């Protein structure tokens, strides 16, 4: 048993299809998973359909990026009404600006002498949410760089010559948006984003419900630190591998972080509370 509440599919920048994700989750005997793609909920209907006659629960999820005080803060939403109009409108806007940002980054790469073509990047994203990993994959495929890591380290990583920031929403707006569709908001990989206790309290003030204490890049010490903080400040706990599939330099493997089934019920119950408070069915 166990759960994995942070998985990227081909609907954003993961390499696994929804079918492959479900298959692997079942093989690992997970009891629940959440596909938390960047700025899209396109994989969720298929996941729910495919899991219909299996003992695998699909929790509708999302991952949204924010920048606060020059720091990257990622917010995960769970038990969201993923057909909610306001959510879908915002996601569409975010994906459109991802596409124009990718096009601008391709132009920058071309200015530095790399012969990369935006159409190929778009094709790589297969109609999903376009991100830097797609640009990196095309650079590797065309032999313009030796690896995904090289693409990030030399060109498109934050501060790199062809890097461009993406349009993001304010953290407070993201938390509010998740609540508006009945979802529970959790701060992703706080150990990677370097979230301090003070900042966690600020996030809680903004409505944050939970903290992703288990994550592929959290060692035991970091996990324990955030578990203690959630207990001290009465926050819920979430966890996931942040799997992006195979062939990625950050290809954390689905289901390999040990996360207890017992985290699901409190999250679901918080979602019910939020729905009752806001009159959402
Ligand atoms: P974007 O949302 O387009 O800015 O791309 C961010 C995504 O790029 C992250 O979710 C990771 O999947 C990936 N990523 C970020 N930094 C690196 C890196 N140094 N190496 C490999 N993948 C990375
Ligand atoms: Zn990603
Ligand atoms: Fe993230
Ligand atoms: Fe992620």
């Amino acid at each position: 048993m166990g759960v994995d509440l942070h998985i990227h599919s081909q609907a954003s920048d993961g390499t696994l299809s929804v079918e492959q994700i479900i298959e692997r989750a079942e093989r690992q005997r997970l009891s629940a998973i959440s596909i938390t793609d960047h700025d899209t909920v396109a994989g969720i209907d298929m996941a729910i359909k495919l899991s219909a006659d299996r003992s695998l629960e699909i929790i509708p999820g999302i991952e949204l990026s924010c920048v606060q005080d020059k720091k990257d803060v990622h917010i995960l939403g769970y038990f969201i009404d993923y057909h909610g109009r306001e959510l879908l409108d915002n996601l569409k806007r975010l994906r459109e600006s991802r596409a124009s940002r990718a096009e601008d980054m391709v132009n920058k790469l071309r200015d530095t002498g790399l012969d990369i073509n935006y159409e190929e990047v778009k094709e790589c994203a297969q109609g999903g949410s376009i991100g830097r990993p797609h640009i990196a994959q095309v650079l590797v495929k065309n032999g313009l760089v030796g690896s995904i890591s090289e693409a990030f380290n030399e060109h498109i990583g934050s501060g790199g010559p062809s890097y461009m920031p993406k349009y993001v929403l304010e953290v407070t707006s993201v938390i509010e948006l998740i609540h508006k569709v009945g979802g529970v908001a959790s701060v992703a990989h706080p150990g990677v984003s370097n979230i301090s206790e003070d900042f966690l309290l600020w996030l809680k003030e903004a409505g944050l419900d939970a903290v992703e204490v288990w994550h592929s890049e959290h060692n035991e010490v970091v996990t324990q630190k955030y578990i203690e903080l959630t207990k001290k400040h009465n926050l819920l706990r979430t966890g996931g591998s942040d799997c992006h599939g195979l062939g990625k330099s950050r290809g954390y493997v689905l289901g390999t972080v040990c996360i207890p089934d017992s985290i699901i019920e409190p999250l679901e119950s918080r979602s019910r509370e939020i729905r009752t408070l806001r009159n959402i069915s």
Side-chain angles (χ1 to χ4, degrees):
M1 294 309 249
V3 301
D4 190 337
L5 302 190
H6 193 157
I7 302 168
H8 295 275
S9 79
Q10 283 174 358
S12 68
D13 56 5
T15 59
L16 298 175
S17 66
V18 172
E19 288 90 332
Q20 289 171 317
I21 289 171
I22 303 283
E23 226 169 73
R24 273 156 211 252
E26 200 168 43
R27 215 179 308 146
Q28 308 244 26
R29 302 190 188 289
L30 299 181
S31 64
I33 61 165
S34 185
I35 296 177
T36 49
D37 277 313
H38 304 282
D39 304 338
T40 180
V41 291
I44 299 176
D45 269 327
M46 177 61 90
I48 290 175
K49 193 173 147 216
L50 290 172
S51 69
D53 46 7
R54 305 177 202 234
S55 58
L56 175 68
E57 182 183 1
I58 307 295
I59 296 165
I62 186 85
E63 182 173 17
L64 293 160
S65 305
C66 311
V67 177
Q68 186 72 34
D69 305 331
K70 297 190 179 156
K71 237 198 330 236
D72 275 327
V73 181
H74 294 182
I75 303 288
L76 296 155
Y78 295 114
F79 290 103
I80 51 170
D81 166 13
Y82 61 101
H83 294 301
R85 189 73 264 156
E86 192 164 350
L87 176 69
L88 294 180
D89 288 346
N90 275 283
L91 296 182
K92 185 159 177 273
R93 199 166 344 121
L94 289 165
R95 288 195 305 273
E96 283 165 358
S97 64
R98 272 179 172 278
S100 59
R101 171 222 195 196
E103 200 166 1
D104 291 345
M105 283 178 65
V106 163
N107 288 332
K108 280 194 157 200
L109 287 162
R110 292 182 68 84
D111 288 346
T112 67
L114 296 172
D115 187 19
I116 175 173
N117 167 324
Y118 177 63
E119 285 309 310
E120 221 176 313
V121 174
K122 222 170 118 183
E123 210 169 286
C124 179
Q126 294 175 50
S129 191
I130 304 182
R132 286 181 288 158
H134 299 117
I135 299 178
Q137 280 168 53
V138 173
L139 287 171
V140 172
K141 188 174 145 228
N142 293 338
L144 298 167
V145 298
S147 65
I148 300 278
S149 319
E150 187 186 327
F152 275 90
N153 294 340
E154 306 287 326
H155 301 283
I156 57 171
S158 172
S162 299
Y163 173 75
M164 287 198 53
K166 69 181 176 224
Y167 160 69
V168 292
L169 301 171
E170 301 268 339
V171 185
T172 46
S173 320
V174 163
I175 296 174
E176 175 59 17
L177 183 60
I178 290 169
H179 286 167
K180 270 188 180 157
V181 290
V184 173
S186 181
V187 61
H189 41 67
V192 180
S193 301
N194 231 327
I195 307 286
S196 67
E197 183 169 8
D198 280 350
F199 188 58
L200 201 57
L201 286 173
W202 182 88
L203 287 169
K204 194 188 169 190
E205 206 51 40
L208 188 81
D209 305 286
V211 179
E212 188 179 51
V213 299
W214 298 278
H215 183 271
S216 296
E217 282 207 22
H218 286 179
N219 61 27
E220 199 112 328
V221 175
V222 171
T223 299
Q224 264 316 313
K225 171 183 150 184
Y226 287 105
I227 287 178
E228 291 312 317
L229 286 174
T230 58
K231 288 181 176 165
K232 184 172 169 192
H233 299 299
N234 197 22
L235 287 154
L236 302 176
R237 290 176 279 283
T238 72
S241 60
D242 208 354
C243 171
H244 280 76
L246 304 171
K248 290 288 186 86
S249 66
R250 292 185 172 186
Y252 315 126
V253 183
L254 198 155
T256 52
V257 183
C258 188
I259 303 156
D261 298 39
S262 58
I263 64 170
I264 304 297
E265 205 278 319
L267 294 171
E268 192 168 10
S269 137
R270 174 62 57 88
S271 166
R272 273 196 300 267
E273 269 169 41
I274 292 168
R275 284 164 193 260
T276 305
L277 276 171
R278 291 175 180 247
N279 257 324
I280 313 168
S281 62

